[in-house]
């Protein structure tokens, strides 16, 4: 009889522990802002949590001035002070007893984050750090020797979200037992992009685009690292009768394209239907430098990505590692190679590369998968 009672008590205890393990976690996340392309990820992540609150430290007006559409209903502003690149924010709201985990940015200039990491023994909050894990501007140096400040932050954290697999592999060598995951950075709406295929011929006629092969560029012209000089040089050297360019984007560093008859400049496009039609017209996504999330959009529309090799002169964001030369895009060493390849590549090869790009998004880069990977670290804490 005693054995039976012990067995029942043991089973009851196991069920209780399992129920505790299955309990949804409540989290708070700190970000500079939440642009429209990140909303689907947060909505899906929120469904996995008991509670999820989003705190931002950039003002809503500043976010709009930077060209982002935002939904302010789901955001909470956290009081802060920014001085010469350093951020001091008020941590009191993050101490809410509802939160099991707080997700802060993997950023060495966030002074309050250091304080929260160093005082975990007082506030007892589990901390996940989220970031690229590397400086895009110092990428070639830091991929050989990871930044010591980020290393200290990660050592103090309970878990880490990195954007990409390449940087995860780099930090795994430093912290083999750390609870870390690569989210595989993506953007809202890729499922709709994957499903959309427009009538290329009809759309070309609609927009008055007559060139046989069309390259599209879609990014804001704010960064000094876009390598717009290479974009303009390609326009000059490719046959204007055969190759056309669609430009989507505005910004202070935008070149004057008015001298090119084969350049179709649409400026900033906020109409999703128009944007989809322009991507449907294009055959190749071409961005010489500083490629980021825009290449995921291009791949979702079935376009291969053509760009230049990462170097000190041509910097690339972490999403650059999605591009596999001759598999889902092309990576050029120099302009001569760029012009030669674009001038001679067969339409069948462009379609093959585009199909592979589309498959990468379909199998790895959906917001649902990104949310699943993010929560996998949360539930371990």
């Amino acid at each position: 009889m005693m054995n039976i009672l012990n067995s029942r008590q043991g089973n009851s205890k196991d069920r209780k522990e399992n129920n505790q393990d299955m309990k949804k976690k409540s989290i708070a996340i700190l970000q500079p802002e939440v642009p429209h392309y990140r909303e689907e990820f947060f909505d899906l992540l929120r469904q996995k949590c008991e509670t999820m609150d989003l705190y931002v430290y950039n003002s809503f007006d500043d976010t709009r001035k930077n060209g982002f559409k935002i939904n302010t209903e789901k955001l909470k502003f956290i009081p802060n002070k920014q001085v010469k690149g350093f951020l001091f924010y008020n941590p009191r709201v993050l101490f809410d007893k509802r939160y099991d985990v707080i997700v802060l940015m993997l950023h060495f200039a966030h002074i309050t984050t250091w304080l929260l990491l160093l005082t975990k023994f007082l506030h007892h909050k589990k901390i996940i750090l989220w970031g690229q894990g590397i400086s895009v501007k110092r990428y070639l140096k830091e991929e050989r020797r990871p930044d010591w400040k980020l290393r200290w932050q990660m050592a103090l954290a309970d878990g880490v979200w990195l954007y990409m697999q390449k940087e995860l592999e780099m930090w795994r060598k430093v912290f083999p037992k750390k609870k870390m995951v690569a989210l595989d950075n993506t953007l809202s709406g890729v499922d709709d992009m994957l499903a959309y295929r427009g009538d290329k011929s009809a759309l070309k006629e609609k927009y008055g685009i007559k060139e046989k092969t069309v390259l599209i560029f879609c990014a804001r012209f704010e960064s000094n690292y876009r390598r717009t000089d290479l974009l303009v040089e390609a326009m000059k050297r490719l046959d204007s009768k055969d190759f056309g360019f669609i430009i989507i984007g505005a910004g202070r560093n935008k070149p004057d394209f008015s001298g090119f008859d084969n350049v179709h400049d649409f400026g900033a496009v906020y109409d999703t239907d128009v944007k989809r039609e322009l991507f449907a017209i294009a055959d190749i996504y071409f961005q010489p430098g500083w490629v980021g999330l825009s290449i995921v959009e291009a791949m979702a529309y079935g376009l291969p990505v053509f760009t230049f090799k990462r170097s000190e002169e041509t910097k690339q964001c972490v999403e650059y590692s999605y591009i596999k030369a001759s598999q889902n895009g092309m990576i050029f060493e120099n302009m001569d190679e760029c012009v030669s390849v674009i001038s001679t590549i067969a339409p069948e090869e462009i379609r093959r590369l585009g199909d592979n790009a589309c498959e990468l998004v379909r199998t790895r880069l959906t917001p649902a998968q990104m949310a699943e990977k993010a929560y996998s670290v949360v539930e371990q804490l």
Side-chain angles (χ1 to χ4, degrees), residues 127-378:
I127 297 178
I128 292 175
L129 295 179
W130 181 14
Q132 295 179 347
I134 198 165
S135 166
V136 174
K137 296 177 183 178
R138 299 183 294 276
Y139 196 100
L140 296 177
K141 176 183 177 181
E142 291 188 13
E143 70 174 339
R144 296 190 300 269
R145 182 177 296 178
D147 184 86
W148 61 271
K149 298 180 292 299
L150 298 184
R151 182 171 181 159
W152 279 10
Q153 280 195 322
M154 291 169 72
L156 293 167
D158 299 288
V160 179
W161 292 350
L162 295 169
Y163 279 115
M164 302 291 292
Q165 294 288 338
K166 184 177 180 183
E167 289 70 49
L168 175 66
E169 292 169 7
M170 180 183 81
W171 283 108
R172 275 273 178 241
K173 297 174 183 177
V174 182
F175 299 110
K177 297 182 179 180
K178 180 71 68 176
K179 294 178 177 63
M180 291 192 291
V181 70
L183 302 185
D184 286 327
N185 200 25
T186 190
L187 70 167
S188 300
V190 293
D191 291 319
D192 292 335
M193 297 173 198
L194 288 165
Y196 178 80
R197 290 295 178 269
D199 185 328
K200 189 183 291 283
S201 297
L203 290 171
K204 275 187 157 184
E205 185 175 350
K206 175 180 178 178
Y207 289 99
I209 296 174
K210 300 178 181 179
E211 293 81 19
K212 181 180 178 182
T213 303
V214 178
L215 295 81
I216 189 170
F217 174 103
C218 180
R220 289 178 297 155
F221 290 93
E222 293 295 333
S223 171
N224 295 323
Y225 300 106
R226 293 287 186 207
R227 290 309 306 266
T228 54
D229 58 320
L230 295 177
L231 176 64
V232 172
E233 187 176 351
M235 291 173 175
K236 291 178 179 177
R237 293 182 58 175
L238 288 167
D239 190 328
S240 61
K241 295 179 181 179
D242 292 332
F243 297 95
F245 292 82
I246 290 174
I247 302 296
I248 299 175
R252 58 187 175 183
N253 292 319
K254 184 173 183 176
D256 180 6
F257 297 119
S258 60
F260 297 95
D261 293 334
N262 63 329
V263 176
H264 311 276
D265 185 0
F266 292 86
V269 176
Y270 297 105
D271 187 318
T272 300
D273 291 335
V274 172
K275 198 174 186 183
R276 285 177 179 169
E277 291 178 344
L278 295 177
F279 270 95
I281 291 170
D283 302 287
I284 295 166
Y285 184 81
F286 181 59
Q287 185 176 328
W290 207 248
V291 297
L293 263 181
S294 56
I295 70 171
V296 175
E297 182 176 29
M299 288 179 168
Y301 284 121
L303 300 183
V305 177
F306 286 19
T307 189
F308 284 78
K309 184 179 179 180
R310 175 186 274 136
S311 66
E312 291 295 343
E313 295 75 30
T314 304
K315 301 184 187 301
Q316 302 285 12
C317 301
V318 292
E319 291 82 7
Y320 171 79
S321 62
Y322 285 144
I323 309 168
K324 305 300 179 187
S326 299
Q327 181 176 326
N328 56 25
M330 299 297 294
I331 299 174
F332 305 120
E333 294 279 350
N334 52 56
M335 183 55 68
D336 287 341
E337 181 187 13
C338 171
V339 172
S340 175
V341 169
I342 294 175
S343 298
T344 59
I345 191 168
E348 296 78 17
E349 179 65 3
I350 293 175
R351 284 195 291 272
R352 182 188 71 83
L353 296 172
D355 288 344
N356 289 340
C358 193
E359 188 63 17
L360 172 66
V361 178
R362 189 188 314 280
T363 56
R364 280 183 49 197
L365 307 184
T366 65
Q369 290 166 315
M370 187 175 173
E372 188 71 34
K373 292 164 190 170
Y375 195 71
S376 71
V377 175
V378 174

Side-chain angles (χ1 to χ4, degrees), residues 13-43:
K13 182 179 180 181
D14 290 342
R15 285 194 297 270
K16 184 177 180 180
E17 289 177 351
N18 289 335
N19 288 336
Q20 289 175 341
D21 290 340
M22 295 296 289
K23 179 181 179 294
K24 289 184 175 182
K25 300 290 180 71
S26 293
I27 67 175
I29 301 177
L30 177 66
Q31 289 281 277
E33 63 264 318
V34 178
H36 59 281
Y37 61 76
R38 190 67 73 209
E39 288 181 357
E40 187 176 356
F41 162 70
F42 284 124
D43 287 343

